Amino acid sequence: NAGVIQTPRHKVTGKGQEATLWCEPISGHSAVFWYRQTIVQGLEFLTYFRNQAPIDDSGMPKERFSAQMPNQSHSTLKIQSTQPQDSAVYLCASSLSGAEQYFGPGTRLTVL
Amino acid sequence: GEKVEQHESTLSVREGDSAVINCTYTDTASSYFPWYKQEAGKGLHFVIDIRSNVDRKQSQRLIVLLDKKAKRFSLHITATQPEDSAIYFCAARNMGYKLTFGTGTSLLVDP
């Protein structure tokens, strides 16, 4: 069991560019979560999928952020026209039942 | 929405002593309270959790206490070791699935 896999581990983009972050959940887990971690805001929930269907995206900024889960083996978080305030560690987690969530190592996004 | 306050931002103990981290929450509907450990440059590692149907849970050197009346829960690490040094996050979850996290406690265990 490789755990939750996130790629890339580090990404640097210029202001206005697009960033796509990838998450591979633990095999067999039906729930996938995205969180964002910054020094100022701490850990914030972004969005949640269950059986590939979007369930709750209440934490997603309304503009520029989108998430998808095209199949059970991966989810993507896309940020269009990145801004410096998007710089953060983006964490993906998966869960078998929605209770205990297992986190990946995160993707550190730096927007210059 | 739920708010979780983590009372200790830093904590320093001597090896072998106990460490206690305290959290409070606001939503009386919250029923699941996990704790996570984060080491430098790594993601969150689940350490222990407690559900609202019990008030105490132990796993080896880790003890979690839950006081529903006070909306307070705490993590006790007994017989601390240098490898316990990390940032610890408490979290709460209500009937939904998203976790609301505290701000983290940086624990340093001096050998």
Side-chain angles (χ1 to χ4, degrees):
Chain A
N1 187 343
V4 175
I5 298 171
Q6 289 189 251
T7 55
R9 292 294 311 277
H10 303 273
K11 186 170 182 66
V12 179
T13 65
K15 181 179 175 180
Q17 292 184 329
E18 182 178 288
T20 300
L21 313 180
W22 293 71
C23 171
E24 181 179 329
I26 293 171
S27 178
H29 282 193
S30 59
V32 171
F33 304 81
W34 285 94
Y35 294 84
R36 176 168 65 179
Q37 185 176 25
T38 61
I39 297 295
V40 174
Q41 298 294 333
L43 281 154
E44 303 173 285
F45 167 83
L46 294 176
T47 189
Y48 157 54
F49 294 86
R50 187 165 190 85
N51 295 323
Q52 300 172 231
I55 302 297
D56 182 353
D57 67 354
S58 59
M60 292 277 276
K62 297 308 177 192
E63 297 179 356
R64 304 187 295 106
F65 282 64
S66 62
Q68 294 183 322
M69 191 162 184
N71 56 59
Q72 62 184 10
S73 64
H74 88 273
S75 174
T76 58
L77 179 67
K78 183 180 293 186
I79 309 172
Q80 295 178 310
S81 186
T82 53
Q83 303 297 310
Q85 62 264 30
D86 299 332
S87 296
V89 176
Y90 290 84
L91 294 164
C92 177
S94 72
S95 173
L96 185 60
S97 62
E100 188 175 320
Q101 296 180 23
Y102 295 87
F103 283 78
T107 294
R108 180 174 295 278
L109 175 66
T110 301
V111 182
L112 302 176
Chain B
E2 172 70 282
K3 288 182 173 51
V4 177
E5 184 175 353
Q6 195 160 345
H7 297 265
E8 296 82 9
S9 58
T10 61
L11 186 59
S12 183
V13 299
R14 294 176 63 176
E15 183 178 357
D17 288 349
S18 292
V20 182
I21 304 171
N22 296 284
C23 290
T24 52
Y25 61 98
T26 58
D27 188 348
T28 53
S30 287
S31 59
Y32 174 70
F33 307 90
W35 288 85
Y36 287 87
K37 176 182 181 182
Q38 187 174 39
E39 296 174 288
K42 297 186 179 180
L44 300 176
H45 176 72
F46 172 85
V47 290
I48 192 169
D49 59 10
I50 189 166
R51 297 178 188 274
S52 58
N53 59 342
V54 296
D55 55 18
R56 185 182 191 277
K57 182 175 180 179
Q58 181 167 1
S59 174
Q60 299 182 319
R61 296 186 297 108
L62 302 177
I63 301 169
V64 182
L65 302 178
L66 174 63
D67 181 342
K68 292 187 290 291
K69 283 187 178 179
K71 289 187 280 189
R72 180 174 57 218
F73 59 113
S74 58
L75 173 66
H76 300 245
I77 307 173
T78 62
T80 53
Q81 302 169 358
E83 51 265 38
D84 294 329
S85 296
I87 300 175
Y88 290 81
F89 291 92
C90 61
R93 194 198 76 193
N94 57 19
M95 294 302 292
Y97 290 97
K98 65 182 180 184
L99 295 174
T100 301
F101 286 90
T103 50
T105 296
S106 180
L107 173 65
L108 177 64
V109 179
D110 291 320

